[in-house]
Amino acid sequence: MNILSLFPAVPLVMMLGLWLSKSTRQIHTVMVAGSSLLVALAVVLVVQYLGLRGAGETAQMLFTESRVWYAPLNIHYAVGVDGISVAMLLLSAVIVFTGTFASWQMKTDVKAYFLWFCLLSVGVFGFFISVDLFTMFLFYEVALIPMYLLIGVWGSGRKEYAAMKLTLMLMGGSALLLIGILGIYFGAGATTMNIQEIAALNNIPVAQQRIWFPLVFMGFGVLGALFPFHTWSPDGHASAPTAVSMLHAGVLMKLGGYGCFRVAMYLLPEAAHELSWVFIILTTISVVYGAFSACVQTDLKYINAYSSVSHCGLVLFAVLMMNTTAGTGAVLQMLSHGLMTALFFALIGMIYGRTHTRDIRQLGGLMKVMPFLAVGYVIAGLANLGLPGLSGFVAEMTIFNGAFMNADTFHRVVTVIACTSIVITAVYILRVVGKILYGTCDNPEHLKLSDATWDERLSVVCLVVAIAGMGLAPLWVSDMIRGSVAEIIAHILS
């Protein structure tokens, strides 16, 4: 079996193991074994990929495999990866692994929870390895469907409302996406659904591209929290269980940016040139609006959710700049945001599990009470505001540097406007850190709280190491993805 097919296969096997499990201990064993195997597979894939590139392999996609699924529409189970896909698979494996331990204390219907969690993982991994449009769309839907139950059943607060709002808006985006994919397929002459082959044909009429590009970009952009289709995100994040928030913000939202770059812009380049200015304006609004909205929130999850709108807006903003530096920054931002927002949601869940509140007005002095969790929160915050030495700095500086390479007035003005989000982010991050971690603890009950348990510490340490590792040694990641980004950009500009 192709190593890529193992990524969606492992969560499927985990689901079988979970179904047969008779106790919580067995469920935990299955999840730890499966998520550890996924991390190991991702590391092996990275080593093999870098080895092949180092040996001079120049094919755009490696580890390719194709089998016919439905011949009349030329639908194939076609897989392959480039540097971008490999990076996303590694990120997904890390988030699934840490999310497993963040869910260790789950008490309600544990088996069903992890079954849906694994199905969500199947969709995510399958999406990132697909090079066939229909297969990619199929896995995309598999990743979205479990979110309704994971939030609606195991969530908190207005969970039914949040789950329904999320599902309706993402399904609406899926409808646009399906129309766009079919338009691309028939516009290309109905010969293939393979992304590489459609790109090579490059024969979709410009008049059709002007129709399909907005549909595909908005279809994926809904999941990437594109303004004004972002409103599902804060409610969904706020109501989701901890690990679901981690996987949702850390990985699922990256499907949006990845799809916009890999499908919308790569396959419809002429329309991307003509219409990019519209979406650049919308993404700039996302970046600044998300940061300002985070400033006025009092709920920790809503603060992080609006922060995610801002940071995911930067991903779409960067890919629309259409140069290699900005595109590389977009992928680095996907990795950085995935790690730091997963850490944020993990820590918020751990703090909420002890204090039973996420209202920053009711929290204070937690550094003395739970120093491990507090230090983890500070590190996540510093990564979020772009402190040098952590992942956020590398990603944001690459994006803004690439964006400013466009010499025209429009691109430079929107870049300067987007840069203001750095200052706004520092305001709300430092405000929250100062409010909840320092000062006096006014609630005597909070003084009795315990610090992190072993499973929570493992989850936090893994994410902190990844954030610091990417910030201190970013070159191997950027070098791995730069070549793949350059090929896509070259095709868009050709």
Side-chain angles (χ1 to χ4, degrees), residues 137 140-141 168-184 211-223 226 229 263 268 279:
F137 180 77
Y140 182 84
E141 292 300 298
L168 290 176
M169 292 199 71
L170 295 187
M171 287 297 112
S174 296
L176 297 178
L177 186 56
L178 180 59
I179 296 169
I181 286 175
L182 292 175
I184 290 172
I211 300 171
W212 311 133
F213 177 77
L215 293 179
V216 176
F217 199 96
M218 286 191 294
F220 280 119
V222 171
L223 189 53
L226 174 68
F229 310 109
V263 180
L268 304 163
F279 294 101

Side-chain angles (χ1 to χ4, degrees), residues 18-19 21 23-29 31 100 103-118 150 153-154:
L18 290 169
W19 185 261
S21 297
S23 65
T24 302
R25 182 185 182 88
Q26 291 177 354
I27 292 170
H28 286 166
T29 301
M31 288 302 300
T100 296
S103 304
W104 206 259
Q105 306 300 326
M106 175 69 67
K107 304 296 183 186
T108 308
D109 207 354
V110 181
K111 180 189 288 190
Y113 170 81
F114 279 118
L115 278 168
W116 289 111
F117 185 81
C118 287
L150 285 167
V153 177
W154 289 274

Side-chain angles (χ1 to χ4, degrees), residues 181-265:
I181 286 175
L182 292 175
I184 290 172
Y185 171 63
F186 289 107
T191 57
T192 180
M193 281 209 177
N194 187 289
I195 293 172
Q196 303 304 117
E197 295 176 18
I198 293 174
L201 289 171
N202 196 25
N203 63 349
I204 303 175
V206 176
Q208 289 192 31
Q209 289 193 35
R210 295 190 186 108
I211 300 171
W212 311 133
F213 177 77
L215 293 179
V216 176
F217 199 96
M218 286 191 294
F220 280 119
V222 171
L223 189 53
L226 174 68
F227 181 89
F229 310 109
H230 66 284
T231 55
W232 60 270
S233 180
D235 291 321
H237 286 320
S239 298
T242 299
V244 176
S245 290
M246 291 171 66
L247 196 60
H248 186 187
V251 180
L252 198 62
M253 291 179 75
K254 308 303 171 288
L255 272 59
Y258 181 93
C260 286
F261 194 38
R262 174 80 74 196
V263 180
M265 299 188 67

